[in-house]
Amino acid sequence: MNLKGKKILLGVSGSIAAYKSALLVRLLVKAEAEVRVVMSQSAKEFITPLTLSTLSKNPVLLSFTKSETGEWNNHVELGLWADLMIIAPATAKTLSKCATGHCDDLLTAIYFSARCPVYFAPAMDVDMFRHPSTQQNMRQLVAYGNFFVYPEHGELASGLIGDGRLAEPENIIKVLDSHFAKQPSAVSKRVLITAGPTVEPIDPVRFISNRSSGKMGYAMAEAFAAAGAQVTLVSGPTHLKAFNANISTVHVETAHQMFEAAEDHFGESDLVIFAAAVADYAPRVVAEQKIKKQGDSMSLDLAKTTDIAGTLGPGKRNGQLIIGFALETENELAHAHDKLVRKNFDYIVLNSLNDPGAGFAHDTNKITVIDKNNNVQQFDLKSKDEVARDILNLVLAQWNEA
């Protein structure tokens, strides 16, 4: 493993998920990393320093001085010692302090002194994680050059189900090990992703659209950017924002605007993922003024929009990969395979609305991937972040074979 001989500083803040830090330390030591642990005072309420010191084979650091001797725990020295720092679990409070410069304990003092890469692995309840202030703090930390191991979807301590569950230690280890690879796995690649719905105006106040949230496309953008790729994300209207500095977002509204943006970046991209839910039809004429209600019925004259994937796919160059998405309600495999062939895809990702928890608006997805050789691979229901990593791994395997 790439972690062998690396100096890892693990910060543990006060979350029920702190119990997982014991396994994380054990896995780091098993990978032959040198581990030192610093805990916030509240973290002691969830796991004992004795446990982590025993597993790490180093004293756990709790405060600026060692109470028995008065000796100083030099936070500057500790920040310079580490090859990598990770705070896992990172609570909403810890994220806020690190994002806003609030340094009031040894853990935050070391963070502000660290010259090494710093990762945060958040853990909190779903509504805390989704709160705009938490999301803003995460964006700010990414802007500062920090990295995230994003939380996973599952049952939380509150009994709710959603995003906010600390990533499993095994998954954290994979991220950290990948960090120390000679270079990120997709560092030389350019990736184009379309995401979200399109909005086709009827008049100044009404439009035709669909239920797409854009979550799947944004999750894939984050996954490929974290792997080192330069990502262009062409996004229809959505409340989502991209975190990673490797993501350049192009905001569009209509199908025509999305086609133009995708066409601009198609030729330069090593990988194109058509994940947007593009309107098939749009009003032929857009009223300049609000249409007044008249009579018992109303008819709209609709014109077919440009088939973005169908238009660009046949122009695929050698070595370029294209992935499409298909949302189906019946004869799913047959319809998806037909779309794969017609649009010259290398892979198509099938979602079925017959699968609970899959499709639009959900935080989860259940996919089936079909490749151009008609190989079919089915995946379990997972968070969209995990699904994005599954798709990333499929692509990386393809690139490694080339």
Side-chain angles (χ1 to χ4, degrees), residues 18-330:
Y19 77 91
K20 291 185 179 180
S21 60
L23 178 56
L24 180 56
V25 170
R26 187 171 184 177
L27 291 173
L28 286 168
V29 172
K30 185 177 180 181
E32 299 185 64
E34 184 179 350
V35 184
R36 300 189 74 175
V37 179
V38 56
M39 299 175 67
S40 68
Q41 291 297 322
S42 59
K44 294 190 299 181
E45 299 178 20
F46 299 97
I47 188 169
T48 66
L50 177 61
T51 298
L52 297 179
S53 65
T54 301
L55 292 171
S56 68
K57 301 178 176 62
N58 280 307
V60 167
L61 308 169
L62 293 162
S63 61
F64 288 101
T65 60
K66 300 175 183 178
S67 57
E68 64 276 10
T69 63
E71 184 181 353
W72 180 35
N73 285 320
N74 188 331
H75 60 278
V76 175
E77 182 181 293
L78 290 164
L80 296 175
W81 170 82
D83 294 313
L84 181 144
M85 180 179 184
I86 178 167
I87 302 179
T91 60
K93 180 179 180 180
T94 299
L95 294 176
S96 176
K97 291 198 295 183
C98 292
T100 59
H102 185 183
C103 178
D104 65 350
D105 62 5
L106 182 62
L107 175 56
T108 51
I110 294 174
Y111 164 71
F112 287 115
S113 301
R115 294 185 183 178
C116 63
V118 179
Y119 279 77
F120 291 88
M124 63 198 74
D125 207 71
V126 57
D127 295 306
M128 296 174 68
F129 179 68
R130 289 177 176 172
H131 195 278
S133 63
T134 302
Q135 295 296 309
Q136 178 58 38
N137 288 332
M138 292 173 67
R139 285 191 290 272
Q140 186 60 64
L141 288 168
V142 169
Y144 288 154
N146 299 289
F147 304 91
F148 275 82
V149 182
Y150 288 98
E152 297 176 1
H153 184 91
E155 185 174 356
L156 305 168
S158 65
L160 298 176
I161 295 176
D163 292 332
R165 182 186 179 107
L166 179 68
E168 292 302 319
E170 294 86 353
N171 293 332
I172 295 176
I173 289 293
K174 290 178 183 177
V175 172
L176 301 188
D177 188 67
S178 177
H179 176 90
F180 288 110
K182 291 184 179 180
Q183 64 177 13
S185 48
V187 71
S188 62
K189 302 298 183 180
R190 291 184 177 273
V191 177
L192 170 64
I193 300 175
T194 65
T198 63
V199 168
E200 312 301 331
I202 298 171
D203 63 20
V205 298
R206 302 181 180 91
F207 57 83
I208 297 172
S209 190
N210 56 62
R211 300 181 187 275
S212 173
S213 65
K215 291 178 180 178
M216 192 67 252
Y218 274 71
M220 289 188 294
E222 294 289 352
F224 278 91
Q230 294 297 316
V231 178
T232 299
L233 177 63
V234 180
S235 174
T238 173
H239 70 283
L240 302 174
K241 292 185 179 180
F243 289 102
N244 198 295
N246 285 350
I247 302 172
S248 175
T249 306
V250 180
H251 295 283
V252 300
E253 291 195 349
T254 67
H256 182 68
Q257 291 169 349
M258 184 169 282
F259 169 71
E260 289 185 327
E263 185 180 37
D264 286 344
H265 296 278
F266 181 83
E268 68 189 29
S269 300
D270 300 292
L271 168 68
V272 180
I273 303 178
F274 293 114
V278 184
D280 294 321
Y281 294 89
R284 192 178 298 276
V285 177
V286 179
E288 294 183 0
Q289 304 296 329
K290 178 182 176 183
I291 299 173
K292 297 298 183 180
K293 182 168 59 177
Q294 296 178 349
D296 296 329
S297 63
M298 174 184 173
S299 297
L300 287 175
D301 184 15
L302 301 179
K304 194 172 184 179
T305 61
T306 301
D307 184 340
I308 299 175
T311 302
L312 297 179
K316 179 177 65 175
R317 57 178 167 78
N318 289 337
Q320 190 177 38
L321 293 179
I322 302 182
I323 300 176
F325 272 67
L327 179 65
E328 303 292 346
T329 59
E330 61 178 353

Side-chain angles (χ1 to χ4, degrees), residues 330-398:
E330 61 178 353
N331 298 324
E332 291 99 336
L333 286 173
H335 287 157
H337 184 264
D338 175 67
K339 187 174 182 180
L340 178 146
V341 173
R342 283 189 294 106
K343 301 190 179 185
N344 201 25
F345 295 156
D346 295 281
Y347 298 91
I348 192 160
V349 180
L350 169 63
N351 301 136
S352 171
L353 283 183
N354 296 316
D355 292 326
F360 291 159
H362 296 288
D363 293 324
T364 54
N365 207 357
K366 183 178 181 181
I367 65 169
T368 299
V369 178
I370 309 169
D371 68 20
K372 61 184 178 182
N373 296 318
N374 208 29
N375 296 309
V376 179
Q377 187 172 356
Q378 295 181 328
F379 295 82
D380 295 331
L381 183 70
K382 301 180 180 181
S383 75
K384 287 183 174 176
D385 286 337
E386 293 175 285
V387 172
R389 288 192 288 270
D390 286 336
I391 294 170
L392 168 66
N393 288 334
L394 284 174
V395 173
L396 292 178
Q398 179 76 18

